[in-house]
Amino acid sequence: MSEFWIYFQIGLKHVLDIHAYDHVLFLIALTVPYMFKDWKRILLLVSVFTIGHTLALLLSVFGIIAIKVNIVEFLIPITILITALFHLFTAGKATKNDGINLIFFVTLFFGIIHGLGFSNYFKTILGGSPSSKLIPLGEFALGIEAAQLVVVFVVLVLSYIVQTVFRFSKRDWALVMSAFIIGVVIPMIIESPIWNR
């Protein structure tokens, strides 16, 4: 049980780390157009992101995929920017709530990108053969999922408060938060090490 808790905590800290807030920014960008009544869709989106994140780590652990760190560090804020821009331009418009659509595939892909950003560190904290890393990887993924659900819950509570107490419309909330995220993420893209060759 103690080993489970170690990797579960690493997953929690990976998402909730105040110094590496890119994961939280992505979750805010992903969640901002939704409300509590959309909990099934949000849970599915968050889980798809975790699956992508875990898949990237799995591929990395087995040596199937390796991408330069500065490319991944550039792509992570790009995924956040794309998500925020999408919600900025679709704020207030009706969305289809049926089945798996483009948003789910994009979320899976973004999860893979974010997972690749953590893959080098994850490989260094685990010794042994790739197959011995499968259980710790699962424990880590559960920690990520739990932390993401905490972030999503906080965003939904803030959304509820802003829309009921302060009388923001759902559209205005999505516009303000998407614009805020874009404002935070653009400097991250500009300061990316990819520009220094």
Side-chain angles (χ1 to χ4, degrees):
M1 185 64 168
S2 62
E3 233 180 79
F4 169 82
W5 186 243
I6 289 168
Y7 293 110
F8 184 83
Q9 278 188 313
I10 293 171
L12 285 174
K13 290 176 184 172
H14 172 60
V15 174
L16 301 175
D17 182 2
I18 192 101
H19 303 293
Y21 51 87
D22 56 335
H23 210 123
V24 172
L25 276 178
F26 179 77
L27 290 169
I28 295 170
L30 188 66
T31 309
V32 82
Y34 299 109
M35 298 166 59
F36 276 112
K37 68 180 177 75
D38 305 312
W39 69 269
K40 287 180 184 174
R41 185 173 178 84
I42 298 166
L43 180 62
L44 189 57
L45 279 170
V46 168
S47 297
V48 164
F49 183 82
T50 303
I51 289 167
H53 196 282
T54 306
L55 179 63
L57 291 175
L58 191 66
L59 293 172
S60 176
V61 161
F62 280 93
I64 297 170
I65 191 167
I67 295 180
K68 290 183 180 178
V69 174
N70 58 344
I71 292 173
V72 173
E73 292 301 320
F74 173 72
L75 290 176
I76 288 173
I78 294 292
T79 63
I80 300 166
L81 179 66
I82 290 168
T83 306
L85 284 171
F86 175 78
H87 290 305
L88 184 73
F89 290 112
T90 59
K93 295 180 181 170
T95 57
K96 285 186 175 179
N97 282 332
D98 37 42
I100 296 176
N101 58 22
L102 181 63
I103 292 172
F104 289 94
F105 289 113
V106 170
T107 302
L108 179 70
F109 176 71
F110 289 175
I112 291 170
I113 297 294
H114 284 246
L116 289 172
F118 192 69
S119 62
N120 287 336
Y121 174 73
F122 189 77
K123 285 191 290 189
T124 62
I125 63 172
L126 289 174
S129 67
S131 59
S132 70
K133 298 176 184 179
L134 291 178
I135 291 175
L137 179 60
E139 295 163 348
F140 174 76
L142 288 173
I144 286 179
E145 185 78 357
Q148 289 182 152
L149 291 175
V150 167
V151 172
V152 165
F153 181 76
V154 169
V155 172
L156 290 175
V157 167
L158 284 174
S159 176
Y160 177 79
I161 291 168
V162 167
Q163 291 179 49
T164 55
V165 175
F166 298 106
R167 303 281 185 206
F168 269 58
S169 70
K170 184 178 168 182
R171 176 185 172 274
D172 290 347
W173 168 249
L175 286 172
V176 167
M177 289 306 294
S178 297
F180 168 76
I181 292 164
I182 291 166
V184 171
V185 112
I186 286 177
M188 291 169 69
I189 294 168
I190 292 169
E191 295 166 8
S192 172
I194 202 166
W195 306 115
N196 306 327
R197 288 193 174 190

